[in-house]
């Protein structure tokens, strides 16, 4: 059995490491921020400590597995992660946040088991991965992103026709917003954010979309 001071240290360290990762998420205004990551890491740590304590209490009297209770964290955290994943139009967001929550639970389990070096190294790697790769991704995406504003007559399936045209051009849709035109009630204004990994010229994209029946205008930013 661990001492009360060791228990306090493990729980405190779990809060600190979870807070480090949570701060990075909150600074980017993600759904799972500081409090969420701290609680996930702290709860995982407590469950790991409890799992070990239960094992020591029955050691030699049963075939209890100290990892059985902790293993439920790995699968159970999936429910929390699933709540962070959202579908917005044609895009899916929250995958990184869900993966972050899952990884943070692993950090908490490692601290709870007394594997401090693994927890510290993992926290450093998670923080650097989220920070560094996010900046690289934003830089690359900004260079190759196209922002399309399409005005089209409101017709059944028109959004899918436009989306299919964009797919045919091998452009990846990253975001879609649909709103009514303020001046014409029968016109829709659709904003597309697409990733132009093939570096197609804007005029090629505009000409392809304008061929769709019902499209009034296409602007590219």
């Amino acid at each position: 059995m661990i001492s009360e001071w060791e228990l306090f240290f493990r729980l405190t360290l779990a809060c600190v490491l979870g807070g480090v990762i949570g701060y990075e998420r909150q600074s980017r205004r993600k759904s799972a921020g500081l409090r969420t990551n701290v609680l996930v890491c702290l709860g995982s740590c407590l469950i790991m400590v409890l799992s070990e304590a239960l094992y020591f209490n029955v050691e030699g009297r049963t075939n209890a597995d100290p990892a059985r209770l902790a293993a439920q964290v790995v699968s159970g955290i999936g429910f929390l992660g699933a709540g962070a994943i959202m579908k917005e139009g044609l895009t899916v967001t929250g995958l990184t946040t869900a993966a972050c929550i899952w990884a943070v639970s692993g950090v908490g389990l490692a601290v709870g088991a007394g594997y401090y070096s693994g927890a510290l190294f993992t926290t450093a790697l998670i923080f650097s991965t989220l920070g560094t790769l996010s900046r690289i991704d934003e830089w690359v995406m900004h260079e190759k992103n196209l922002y399309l504003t399409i005005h089209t007559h409101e017709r059944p399936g028109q959004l899918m026709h436009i989306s299919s045209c964009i797919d045919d051009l091998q452009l990846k849709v990253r975001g879609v917003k649909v709103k009514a035109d303020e001046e014409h009630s029968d016109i829709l204004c659709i904003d597309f954010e697409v990733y132009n990994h093939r570096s197609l010229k804007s005029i090629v994209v505009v000409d392809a979309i304008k061929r769709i029946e019902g499209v009034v205008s296409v602007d590219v930013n």
Side-chain angles (χ1 to χ4, degrees), residues 1-178:
M1 294 289 292
I2 64 173
S3 65
E4 291 185 356
W5 282 109
E6 178 70 11
L7 174 61
F8 177 76
F9 175 74
R10 292 186 185 184
L11 294 175
T12 303
L13 181 60
C15 286
V16 172
L17 297 183
V20 169
I21 298 171
Y23 173 78
E24 195 282 335
R25 293 284 82 194
Q26 185 158 314
S27 66
R28 296 181 179 275
R29 295 180 176 84
K30 301 300 180 180
S31 55
L34 180 62
R35 290 176 296 180
T36 301
N37 283 278
V38 168
L39 291 175
V40 168
C41 197
L42 178 61
S44 301
C45 177
L46 178 61
I47 291 173
M48 188 69 235
V49 172
L50 176 62
S51 183
E52 289 185 341
L54 292 175
Y55 172 73
F56 287 130
N57 285 335
V58 298
E59 186 178 10
R61 290 179 287 171
T62 181
N63 293 326
D65 181 3
R68 184 174 297 176
L69 180 60
Q72 303 308 308
V73 174
V74 179
S75 57
I77 204 69
F79 290 98
L80 188 59
I85 301 174
M86 303 293 291
K87 189 174 186 300
E88 300 177 355
L90 301 178
T91 61
V92 177
T93 61
L95 291 173
T96 301
T97 299
C100 180
I101 293 174
W102 181 77
V104 167
S105 70
V107 172
L109 290 174
V111 174
Y115 187 39
Y116 303 131
S117 59
L120 290 168
F121 289 149
T122 302
T123 299
L125 289 172
I126 292 174
F127 187 84
S128 61
T129 297
L130 292 174
T132 304
L133 294 185
S134 293
R135 293 187 184 92
I136 294 175
D137 184 58
E138 289 174 358
W139 177 72
V140 173
M141 292 299 182
H142 179 74
E143 292 294 319
K144 293 192 174 184
N145 269 8
L146 287 178
Y147 298 91
L148 308 174
T149 300
I150 302 170
H151 290 83
T152 177
H153 289 285
E154 187 173 0
R155 296 182 178 183
Q158 186 71 344
L159 179 60
M160 293 306 301
H161 293 320
I162 297 173
S163 298
S164 297
C165 177
I166 292 175
D167 287 339
D168 292 339
L169 293 170
Q170 298 182 22
L171 302 175
K172 182 180 179 181
V173 177
R174 295 179 56 84
V176 181
K177 291 183 180 179
V178 181

